[in-house]
Amino acid sequence: QSTRATRSNKTSAIRIGFGLFMLWEVMRYFQEDWIATYWIKPKIHFGYWPFDFLQPLPGNGMYWLFGLMGVLAIGIAAGCLYRVCAALFWVGFTYTFLLEQTRYLNHFYLISLLSFILIFIPAHRTFSVDMLLFRRMMDAQMPLWGLWWLRFTITLPYFFGGIAKLNSDWLQGEPLRMWVMGKTDLNWIARLLAHPDILLGMSWGGMMLDLLVVPALLWRRTRLAAFLAVALFHFLNAQLFNIGVFPGLMLAATTLFFEPDWPLRLWRRLRRGAGGEDPHSSPLRPVIGMQQRLLLLLIASFCAVQLFLPIRHFFIPSRVDWTEEGHRYAWHMKLRDKKAYGFFVVRAEGASAGTTIQSSAYLEPWQDEIMLTKPCLIWQFAQFLKAEAAAHGQAVHVYADIHCSLNGRKYLQFTDPTVDLTAVPRPWWPPTAWIMPMTEALQPGGD
């Protein structure tokens, strides 16, 4: 099927929906002043290896960048110079993503993946400005590989999110119970759901929905029921959790599993027009040529990486929700509640005693909260303290004494306070020797 063609109405609908959601996301950053909060006010930024050299644009550069991304989102939605807009939006969004690890969210990662895919998919062949500007280049058909590439990517959060829920804490109803019970004073839906049996049923139901929804969407007889279940699922998520555009974006993207010409049929019904032949239809044609073969190689490589990343933690002899090793890019969404406290000790070379450093003196609260729970960020902050001392002509050793609590357990030692973090390599492939194992079992109902 990947070498056949289909009508492009469906991918045009996704193009329009993606562009409008991204425009909404950009507008929220201006309205909430998040641009200053996340990229201008912080003194330190935790970059991703090997992109640690990236820094926020100086002055008002980040404001201009987000303004440009808003214009590009409009261009994507309108299908105006579509490929240029998609490519530039991907570069801009991925750049902002790579600037700050403490802001990692699965839906940011998903947006980066989707915007990358849209560069290659001809989603501008219907309902677009480009169709009017470049009539000779337009063709109402697109290769099926484009549709299935998008479907594959949308499957990732569902299926691997379900796989990640197959852990003892989630099957006991944690941390969902903690979160919902903590919102009963503020959220009417939380009050309706605040019963142990209901919350346990939601934990199991969410896991089963993630695992089964894609097969149900692919089967025509169960497609509508599956879509309604997904709509309820995302509605509850949007009401209970502050996860931005993710529920709406995922719900819109789920329509990819409907028949390819559903947008056109819906448009005809809205116009009360009669059905009939799609005026843009044309015979199926094979996708051939070296360019297409290279593209299929790119797609195969993309899919292989996306299949490996979510399962790599099965090869790690530790709990990923405790050590964070293999946690990112694996669609472990809203699976654990982790809190931490601690401090760093900076000791000059040759000295017998050190100075206690509170990371909160250097970091924004939202950075500090995340940094203390993740080995790679703890290591990066230790390197920052080492570099700061070196700037004053001092060689130092840096130690971290941090305790964490996972899903309501009591606080346990997270880092080995005797290990000099300036003398160990960046956490790369687990296990990380200076991360202490978790020994405390989850008690029913949490602590």
Side-chain angles (χ1 to χ4, degrees), residues 402-415:
I402 297 170
H403 292 72
C404 286
S405 167
L406 178 65
N407 293 342
R409 294 173 174 85
K410 70 179 184 181
Y411 281 88
L412 301 172
Q413 187 76 44
F414 185 57
T415 59

Side-chain angles (χ1 to χ4, degrees), residues 6 11 27 59 104 111 133 296 324 354 358 361 382 386 389 400 405:
T6 187
T11 48
M27 291 173 62
Y104 175 88
I111 289 171
L133 296 177
L296 291 176
E324 304 291 330
Q358 295 292 338
K386 175 185 177 181
S405 167

Side-chain angles (χ1 to χ4, degrees), residues 38-49:
Y38 295 130
W39 290 285
I40 297 176
K41 292 180 181 178
K43 303 173 185 177
I44 304 169
H45 292 279
F46 294 89
Y48 292 81
W49 185 89

Side-chain angles (χ1 to χ4, degrees), residues 158 209 213 225-237 247 251 254:
Y158 286 123
L209 182 139
V213 68
F227 183 78
L228 293 176
V230 166
L232 177 61
F233 175 77
H234 288 304
F235 171 76
L236 291 175
N237 279 337
L251 184 61
T254 303

Side-chain angles (χ1 to χ4, degrees), residues 16-28 69-70 72-74 76 89 93 107 111 115 245 249:
I16 295 169
F18 181 83
L20 293 178
F21 274 115
M22 292 305 97
L23 177 61
W24 178 32
E25 179 79 342
V26 167
M27 291 173 62
R28 292 172 69 232
M69 286 198 295
L72 295 172
I74 294 173
I76 292 172
F89 184 88
F93 187 89
H107 73 262
I111 289 171
S115 56
V245 301
L249 179 62

Side-chain angles (χ1 to χ4, degrees), residues 173-233:
E174 297 292 352
L176 183 61
R177 184 200 65 83
M178 295 173 54
W179 292 332
V180 173
M181 296 301 291
K183 293 176 179 288
T184 53
D185 294 337
L186 304 174
N187 191 296
W188 65 274
I189 291 183
R191 289 193 292 272
L192 290 176
L193 302 175
H195 186 279
D197 292 339
I198 293 177
L199 294 172
L200 185 61
M202 288 179 61
S203 290
W204 280 76
M207 177 189 69
M208 296 304 296
L209 182 139
D210 281 342
L211 291 172
L212 299 177
V213 68
V214 171
L217 286 166
L218 289 172
W219 191 24
R220 188 168 186 171
R221 292 185 178 182
T222 56
R223 187 173 296 150
L224 181 58
F227 183 78
L228 293 176
V230 166
L232 177 61
F233 175 77

Side-chain angles (χ1 to χ4, degrees), residues 319-386:
R319 288 195 54 154
V320 64
D321 50 357
W322 173 253
T323 66
E324 304 291 330
E325 297 166 321
H327 180 84
R328 287 180 174 168
Y329 320 112
W331 312 107
H332 289 206
M333 299 170 290
K334 306 300 288 184
L335 283 182
R336 50 98 169 93
D337 183 88
K338 197 171 182 184
K339 297 180 174 63
Y341 71 86
F343 56 87
F344 291 76
V345 175
V346 177
R347 180 169 58 83
E349 206 166 87
S352 57
T355 302
T356 299
I357 300 292
Q358 295 292 338
S359 52
S360 57
Y362 295 87
L363 304 178
E364 296 294 311
W366 52 272
Q367 289 179 304
D368 194 45
E369 179 183 5
I370 299 298
M371 183 275 293
L372 291 172
T373 67
K374 299 188 183 298
C376 58
L377 303 184
I378 294 170
W379 182 89
Q380 279 186 260
F381 187 72
Q383 309 315 305
F384 165 78
L385 294 176
K386 175 185 177 181

Side-chain angles (χ1 to χ4, degrees), residues 14 30 92 94 96 116 137 157 167 201 281 376 389-390 427 437:
I14 290 300
F30 282 100
T94 304
T96 65
F116 175 76
M137 299 174 60
N167 67 76
S281 64
C376 58

